[in-house]
Amino acid sequence: MKIKYRIQKEDIDSNSRYGIIETPRGSFETPMFMPVGTQATIKSMTPEMAKECGGAIILSNTYHLWERPGEDVIFDAGGLHEFMNYDGPILTDSGGFQVFSLANPKDINEEGVYFKSNIDGKKLFLSPEKSIEIQNKLGADIIMSFDECPPYPSTYEYMKESVERTLRWAKRGKDVHNNDKQSLFGIVQGGEFEDLRKHSALETVKLDFDGYSIGGTSVGEGKDVMYKMVDYAINYLPKDKPRYLMGVGDPIDILEAVSRGVDMFDCVLPTRIARHGNAFTRSGKINLKNAKFKYDHTPLEDNCDCYTCKHYKKSYIRHLIISKETLGGTLLSIHNIRFLIKLTEDIRMKIKENNFLEFKEEFIKKYNN
Amino acid sequence: MKIKYRIQKEDIDSNSRYGIIETPRGSFETPMFMPVGTQATIKSMTPEMAKECGGAIILSNTYHLWERPGEDVIFDAGGLHEFMNYDGPILTDSGGFQVFSLANPKDINEEGVYFKSNIDGKKLFLSPEKSIEIQNKLGADIIMSFDECPPYPSTYEYMKESVERTLRWAKRGKDVHNNDKQSLFGIVQGGEFEDLRKHSALETVKLDFDGYSIGGTSVGEGKDVMYKMVDYAINYLPKDKPRYLMGVGDPIDILEAVSRGVDMFDCVLPTRIARHGNAFTRSGKINLKNAKFKYDHTPLEDNCDCYTCKHYKKSYIRHLIISKETLGGTLLSIHNIRFLIKLTEDIRMKIKENNFLEFKEEFIKKYNN
């Protein structure tokens, strides 16, 4: 089956919406944050830990799995779910984002992209057809079109050409994707240019995908520009399909994007900052390396319901981080992922209660205190 | 309460014995392997994972915790159990083993040992009294006397002098240890010299400890010498007290030592080899980096009841290890710790069944195949 998105409640004061997405591996509510398992593992966590965080859908990266262990190994193992012991819904990206950070512009042509391997420098080639073929073998429940993700800033002329190419690539990918088990999303590009975002959105929607991603963000464009990228595209996306803002996971960005009508988010932020000793709290980020936590035997955050806060003290987590013990990163990752998923739970509740904008304002005020 | 050791069954063909040790935090059966949590964490594992492996008692290192975070932090947190979220029995070593690998012989005197910090090169001093004071603050259920652990080989003359000093240190430590919650073990030294091991055992027993460790092993002496070190001491240790062979965790060494009458073992081996991609199996160690496992979608070992073998395939663990994902080390650590604890479970069953020596022979034959 393809995924089904059903709006449960639209906010009266903003574009935010509370919905449910049905997938072949269970339903999840939106807005939702998806933890990232780049190499078929959410770094330093077991799948059970991710589920205990309320994680309903996770993301894995096509480029990384294509390079290592190779999509054939995963296909032979029975697919990505079986390979990594995760029976909930999985989404894979197209590889585009990673490829374009490794490629020179001159290596991009109509056919696809030539670039050098991140691992051994070997010359590789990825195309819309190849990306779909790999994603078909991986077997995620939601897969992405192969798009060009230009750097920020790019010229208007380049971006215009790129948007057209991405549209042609989207069609080519859709043409070769022929199974009913995996839903395919189209990706809106167009940089910070209003007319290009509109054009990209309208033309991508014409191709009729199962959902729509807003891409080309998280490439160094700054928050205000990123919010505009969402604004310029979102009103041209159909209400009855999910909208996914790729690579975004800062708490304030999630709130801003939800208020604009976004349903799905992913980001490596919660696990990456964890490995450096940082924890999200409602009063902003804290770094456990700070000496003031040496004798602080309280949890990372009062009233947090995560495994870490139920069992461990700041003093202990600080000790683990300073001693470079991986359990420190594990405990902080659990807390940070739970923090973002709990944020989306609260958002959903507030939308239901017609109280989202007030919640958003209060959250941001306290977080930026 | 002090610990109580009760023999349940003595083997008729060997010195091996099946027993139960009662501690203030629950009982456990012996022979038993204790996983090592050097820095108040079993590397890359949660305490729940250790318990799921059948782990009944864990070891932590006084030297490391004294240096970082400092015993006062842990005392202030409510003690080591509370600090690290582990409510089962814990054993701490005395720091002696670590200190002597950092000290020059000239820095050892009657009072104690001067040595340089492993972390910042700072000059530090540890004595029998200081070691007990730190261990009292950490609050483990079983603690160790501060002993000198000379390198292998050492001259007879040096070892004789060292054994006498360790005996004086054992008495000094016992004199300052004055609580009923923590049981104190004496440590037998004497290198590979039969008369010195006998003398050390007899004189240590006269001081009347709650249990006895055999120390000075795992310092590069080779298996045959190590077994002799056990042979030379064990018959002079009382039957009604537990016997602990420090730093030993190779499966064959465990079997050999059990047959000589040892009850407790600890070693970093299962977690250390895990981080390098190795797994224990009944047919010997395997390394997951080996290309032959790329498409091997079977568990590490058939019929293994550990979490890893129940849920993951070799192909996936290989991918994690090659991708340097910490979950790979976690999954292998779980399997390896379970392997050693299961080995002690099997040993206990075989002692009960009067079948230990046959089991030992078969195990070694298959393991060395």
Side-chain angles (χ1 to χ4, degrees), chain B residues 7-140:
Chain B
I7 295 180
Q8 302 295 300
K9 175 84 171 67
E10 289 179 280
D11 191 28
I12 46 172
D13 306 314
S14 73
N15 280 328
S16 65
R17 58 223 210 123
Y18 158 57
I20 292 179
I21 297 180
E22 281 174 49
T23 85
R25 287 183 173 82
S27 301
F28 61 91
E29 296 176 304
T30 58
M32 177 57 84
F33 175 78
M34 304 183 283
V36 178
T38 299
Q39 318 231 41
T41 165
I42 300 172
K43 284 194 190 299
S44 85
M45 287 171 65
T46 64
E48 289 83 3
M49 289 173 179
K51 284 190 180 173
E52 205 181 321
C53 290
I57 169 166
I58 63 173
L59 180 142
S60 200
N61 292 107
T62 293
Y63 165 72
H64 292 89
L65 298 178
W66 174 46
E67 277 247 77
R68 199 169 54 189
E71 71 279 16
D72 287 332
V73 169
I74 294 176
F75 181 77
D76 194 59
L80 188 51
H81 300 80
E82 182 74 19
F83 186 61
M84 69 181 288
N85 181 37
Y86 186 79
D87 60 7
I90 301 178
L91 181 152
T92 47
D93 63 3
S94 67
F97 186 85
Q98 286 77 26
V99 161
F100 289 102
S101 65
L102 302 172
N104 290 314
K106 66 173 168 44
D107 295 326
I108 302 166
N109 61 39
E110 189 59 27
E111 202 193 346
V113 191
Y114 290 93
F115 62 100
K116 277 187 181 161
S117 160
N118 205 12
I119 295 172
D120 56 13
K122 202 169 57 186
K123 200 166 184 181
L124 296 169
F125 177 71
L126 207 57
S127 66
E129 292 81 4
K130 183 71 188 169
S131 172
I132 297 293
E133 183 196 323
I134 298 166
Q135 292 186 80
N136 286 162
K137 283 193 176 165
L138 297 177

Side-chain angles (χ1 to χ4, degrees), chain A residues 39-41 43-44 47-48 68-69 76-77 82-83 85 295 297 307 311-313 316 319-320 323 325-326, chain B residues 39-41 43-44 47-48 68-69 76-77 82-83 85 295 297 307 311-313 316 319-320 323 325-326:
Chain A
Q39 318 230 44
T41 166
K43 283 192 191 300
S44 85
E48 289 82 3
R68 200 171 51 192
D76 193 59
E82 182 73 19
F83 186 60
N85 182 36
Y295 285 89
H297 309 307
Y307 166 77
H311 298 293
Y312 301 91
K313 311 161 199 309
Y316 180 62
H319 163 65
L320 294 176
S323 304
E325 287 285 351
T326 61
Chain B
Q39 318 231 41
T41 165
K43 284 194 190 299
S44 85
E48 289 83 3
R68 199 169 54 189
D76 194 59
E82 182 74 19
F83 186 61
N85 181 37
Y295 285 88
H297 309 306
Y307 166 77
H311 298 293
Y312 301 90
K313 312 162 200 305
Y316 180 62
H319 163 65
L320 295 177
S323 304
E325 288 285 352
T326 61

Side-chain angles (χ1 to χ4, degrees), chain B residues 196-209:
Chain B
L196 296 183
R197 283 276 168 190
K198 176 182 173 181
H199 175 68
S200 176
L202 288 171
E203 295 301 314
T204 306
V205 169
K206 278 188 193 160
L207 295 172
D208 190 23
F209 287 97

Side-chain angles (χ1 to χ4, degrees), chain B residues 56-269:
Chain B
I57 169 166
I58 63 173
L59 180 142
S60 200
N61 292 107
T62 293
Y63 165 72
H64 292 89
L65 298 178
W66 174 46
E67 277 247 77
R68 199 169 54 189
E71 71 279 16
D72 287 332
V73 169
I74 294 176
F75 181 77
D76 194 59
L80 188 51
H81 300 80
E82 182 74 19
F83 186 61
M84 69 181 288
N85 181 37
Y86 186 79
D87 60 7
I90 301 178
L91 181 152
T92 47
D93 63 3
S94 67
F97 186 85
Q98 286 77 26
V99 161
F100 289 102
S101 65
L102 302 172
N104 290 314
K106 66 173 168 44
D107 295 326
I108 302 166
N109 61 39
E110 189 59 27
E111 202 193 346
V113 191
Y114 290 93
F115 62 100
K116 277 187 181 161
S117 160
N118 205 12
I119 295 172
D120 56 13
K122 202 169 57 186
K123 200 166 184 181
L124 296 169
F125 177 71
L126 207 57
S127 66
E129 292 81 4
K130 183 71 188 169
S131 172
I132 297 293
E133 183 196 323
I134 298 166
Q135 292 186 80
N136 286 162
K137 283 193 176 165
L138 297 177
D141 306 281
I142 300 176
I143 68 177
M144 293 294 132
S145 293
F146 187 69
D147 60 329
E148 183 180 349
C149 187
Y152 178 85
S154 294
T155 64
Y156 182 86
E157 289 64 36
Y158 187 86
M159 192 60 83
K160 191 172 157 68
E161 198 185 309
S162 168
V163 161
E164 296 299 338
R165 186 163 42 233
T166 286
L167 285 166
R168 291 188 296 271
W169 286 1
K171 178 157 188 343
R172 278 165 53 190
K174 190 161 188 293
D175 287 345
V176 296
H177 175 59
N178 283 309
N179 76 52
D180 277 344
K181 291 177 209 146
Q182 299 178 285
S183 297
L184 178 61
F185 278 32
I187 303 182
V188 177
Q189 289 285 353
E192 76 276 31
F193 306 107
E194 186 167 4
D195 62 326
L196 296 183
R197 283 276 168 190
K198 176 182 173 181
H199 175 68
S200 176
L202 288 171
E203 295 301 314
T204 306
V205 169
K206 278 188 193 160
L207 295 172
D208 190 23
F209 287 97
D210 302 309
Y212 297 91
S213 304
I214 296 170
T217 57
S218 305
V219 289
E221 72 278 8
K223 279 177 187 293
D224 287 342
V225 175
M226 194 249 280
Y227 302 153
K228 277 186 194 168
M229 290 173 170
V230 176
D231 284 330
Y232 294 159
I234 204 141
N235 291 328
Y236 306 105
L237 300 178
K239 279 204 162 182
D240 61 346
K241 295 284 171 71
R243 300 147 174 184
Y244 160 33
L245 183 56
M246 300 173 82
V248 170
D250 174 82
I252 293 175
D253 293 345
I254 289 178
L255 286 160
E256 291 294 351
V258 164
S259 75
R260 287 162 168 82
V262 173
D263 308 301
M264 296 162 66
F265 301 88
D266 81 283
C267 197
V268 296
L269 194 67

